């Protein structure tokens, strides 16, 4: 525990949040602006607030504390859960959880939470809504196909499904256009250069920029691959436990799924990715493993392009050339 820092462990839910500080003091506030104001009054310049990432519930408090000039850390809930399990606690209440989060804060190296800009928040909201509409579009198409297979489909049902599908597709197109405009306002240069990489199209480039915040939060390609959950986990112990290496999958699922879909096209038109895929398959490894390696390669290429100010050149050894 760092001296002169007072930790506040926060267990937050939909309606309330519970706090325990380094001195053992316990507080209970409503999860709204009124509760936030009361909480900030007990904080000082030496305060460090620590909470779990709890879906959407922690965002308002975290941003309020950040805007109030407080130090904030939003921790991976899995890491906090493992710490609580290690303590062998037999009591599971909001109060006990806040106390254990406070203990956790004093024993690990915390990373300060930065939050997202208003521009990035809006882009992410649009991305999530695009995902919802895409699923709805697929569902409606499948339903139309299912009704047609019946042989004597209801005209009313078919008409209703087609109108719904048309509306969803209209919203999808509008959102995609708006998202592209927003991304270009801040990341036009990176967006243009990403599209020079074979295997990365217009929509993929936009999503890569949004999901990585323009690659600004990462210092290396390996760090970015870890964020996407594409790094391998080795399971070996003694002479009896020798599990097959697998990707961690602890990371951004949207980014990982996006890259996996791109990997098929990259194997055809991206020379470096194709060579990597063929080399791994030639060694007798599975095609899925080879595609995951291509995902890793493609993401590192994107990171290099974004950070270097260069564009992709298939004939150049390092695959980059000055723009």
């Amino acid at each position: 525990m760092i001296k002169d820092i007072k930790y506040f462990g926060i267990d937050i839910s939909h309606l309330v949040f519970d706090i325990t500080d380094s001195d053992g003091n316990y507080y209970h506030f409503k999860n709204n602006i009124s509760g936030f104001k009361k909480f900030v009054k007990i904080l000082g310049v030496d305060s460090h607030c620590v909470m779990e990432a709890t879906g959407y519930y922690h965002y308002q408090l975290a941003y309020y504390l950040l805007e109030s000039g407080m130090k904030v850390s939003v921790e991976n809930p899995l890491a906090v859960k493992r710490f609580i399990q290690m303590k062998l606690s037999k009591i599971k209440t909001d109060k006990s959880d806040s106390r254990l989060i406070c203990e956790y804060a004093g024993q690990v190296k915390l990373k300060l939470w930065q939050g997202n800009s208003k521009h990035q928040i809006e882009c992410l909201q649009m991305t999530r809504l695009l995902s919802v509409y895409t699923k709805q579009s697929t569902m409606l198409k499948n339903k139309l196909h299912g009704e047609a297979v019946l042989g004597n489909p209801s005209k009313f049902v078919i008409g209703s499904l087609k109108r719904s599908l048309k509306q969803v597709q209209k919203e999808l197109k509008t959102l995609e256009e708006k998202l592209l405009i927003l991304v270009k306002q801040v990341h036009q240069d990176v967006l243009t250069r990403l599209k020079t990489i074979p295997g990365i199209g217009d929509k993929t480039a936009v999503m890569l920029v949004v999901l990585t915040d323009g690659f600004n939060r990462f210092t290396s390609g390996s760090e970015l691959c870890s964020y996407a959950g594409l790094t391998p986990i080795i399971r070996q112990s003694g002479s009896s436990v020798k599990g097959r290496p697998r990707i961690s999958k602890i990371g951004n699922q949207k980014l990982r799924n996006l890259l996996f879909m791109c990997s098929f096209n990259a194997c055809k038109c991206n020379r470096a990715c194709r060579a990597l895929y063929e080399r791994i398959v030639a060694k007798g490894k599975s095609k899925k493993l080879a595609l995951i390696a291509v995902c890793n390669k493609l993401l590192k290429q994107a990171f290099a392009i974004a950070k270097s100010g260069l564009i992709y050149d298939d004939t150049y050894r390092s695959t980059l050339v000055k723009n």
Side-chain angles (χ1 to χ4, degrees), residues 41-172:
K41 287 180 180 179
I42 67 174
L43 300 176
V45 292
D46 61 340
S47 299
H48 191 149
C49 302
V50 184
M51 65 188 77
E52 295 177 277
T54 55
Y56 296 107
Y57 297 146
H58 70 281
Y59 277 113
Q60 288 190 47
L61 176 58
Y63 276 110
Y64 188 90
L65 291 171
L66 200 65
E67 290 170 2
S68 299
M70 298 296 149
K71 292 179 181 178
V72 182
S73 292
V74 179
E75 295 296 293
N76 188 318
L78 182 60
V80 178
K81 181 181 179 181
R82 292 288 182 264
F83 177 84
I84 292 175
Q85 289 175 337
M86 185 180 68
K87 287 290 184 177
L88 302 176
S89 176
K90 295 181 180 180
I91 302 173
K92 179 72 171 93
T93 64
D94 294 338
K95 182 177 180 179
S96 66
D97 283 352
S98 67
R99 176 178 56 80
L100 288 167
I101 292 172
C102 186
E103 288 185 29
Y104 167 88
Q107 296 184 33
V108 302
K109 186 176 180 181
L110 297 170
K111 186 177 181 180
L112 290 177
W113 186 73
Q114 299 175 355
N116 293 309
S117 66
K118 291 183 178 180
H119 175 272
Q120 177 66 2
I121 291 172
E122 187 172 6
C123 287
L124 288 171
Q125 287 176 340
M126 287 188 177
T127 300
R128 289 191 287 266
L129 188 54
L130 276 172
S131 179
V132 171
Y133 284 155
T134 300
K135 289 177 182 177
Q136 288 181 353
S137 176
T138 302
M139 181 187 68
L140 289 167
K141 288 177 182 177
N142 290 340
K143 183 63 176 173
L144 272 168
H145 175 73
E147 292 296 329
V149 170
L150 290 175
N152 189 24
S154 165
K155 291 182 179 180
F156 178 81
V157 171
I158 294 298
S160 178
L161 287 170
K162 285 183 176 180
R163 288 193 298 273
S164 296
L165 179 60
K166 184 177 180 180
Q167 182 60 35
V168 169
Q169 290 177 334
K170 181 181 178 182
E171 292 295 332
L172 269 171

Side-chain angles (χ1 to χ4, degrees), residues 194 196-201 204-205 208 212 215 221 224-225 228 230 255-274 276 290-306 312 319-320:
L194 282 177
T196 66
I197 303 174
I200 294 182
T204 302
L208 275 173
T212 63
F215 298 86
L224 180 55
C225 288
L230 291 170
L255 182 56
R256 189 167 60 250
N257 291 344
L258 176 71
L259 288 163
F260 191 75
M261 295 303 296
C262 290
S263 65
F264 294 94
N265 193 38
C267 288
K268 298 176 183 177
C269 58
N270 188 307
R271 181 184 294 182
C273 291
R274 183 172 66 249
L276 176 64
L291 286 172
I292 291 170
V294 169
C295 291
N296 207 301
K297 181 73 172 179
L298 201 58
L299 190 54
K300 287 183 176 179
Q301 285 182 346
F303 178 83
I305 291 288
Y312 186 91
T319 73
L320 302 174

Side-chain angles (χ1 to χ4, degrees), residues 1-7 22 46 48 71 105-110:
M1 181 179 291
I2 302 175
K3 292 182 179 180
D4 302 325
I5 292 183
K6 189 173 183 178
Y7 294 104
S22 302
D46 61 340
H48 191 149
K71 292 179 181 178
Q107 296 184 33
V108 302
K109 186 176 180 181
L110 297 170

Side-chain angles (χ1 to χ4, degrees), residues 145-286:
H145 175 73
E147 292 296 329
V149 170
L150 290 175
N152 189 24
S154 165
K155 291 182 179 180
F156 178 81
V157 171
I158 294 298
S160 178
L161 287 170
K162 285 183 176 180
R163 288 193 298 273
S164 296
L165 179 60
K166 184 177 180 180
Q167 182 60 35
V168 169
Q169 290 177 334
K170 181 181 178 182
E171 292 295 332
L172 269 171
K173 184 179 179 182
T174 302
L175 266 174
E176 286 173 351
E177 291 172 351
K178 178 62 177 176
L179 181 60
L180 179 59
I181 291 170
L182 273 176
V183 172
K184 283 183 175 180
Q185 287 176 358
V186 178
H187 304 292
Q188 173 69 77
D189 181 53
V190 173
L191 189 64
T192 301
R193 286 187 281 108
L194 282 177
K195 289 189 287 186
T196 66
I197 303 174
I200 294 182
D202 294 348
K203 291 183 180 180
T204 302
V206 170
M207 293 303 293
L208 275 173
V209 170
V210 172
L211 295 175
T212 63
D213 196 8
F215 298 86
N216 291 325
R217 291 173 179 255
F218 305 95
T219 57
S220 69
S222 298
E223 183 185 354
L224 180 55
C225 288
S226 179
Y227 171 75
L230 291 170
T231 50
I233 292 178
I234 309 299
R235 297 185 298 125
Q236 292 183 354
S237 180
S239 58
S240 60
V241 180
K242 292 184 179 180
R244 284 193 311 174
R246 299 176 182 272
I247 58 172
S248 67
K249 292 188 178 180
I250 301 175
N252 192 306
Q253 186 180 14
K254 282 191 176 74
L255 182 56
R256 189 167 60 250
N257 291 344
L258 176 71
L259 288 163
F260 191 75
M261 295 303 296
C262 290
S263 65
F264 294 94
N265 193 38
C267 288
K268 298 176 183 177
C269 58
N270 188 307
R271 181 184 294 182
C273 291
R274 183 172 66 249
L276 176 64
Y277 177 85
E278 291 173 350
R279 185 166 66 251
I280 292 174
V281 172
K283 290 180 180 179
K285 304 293 184 181
S286 70

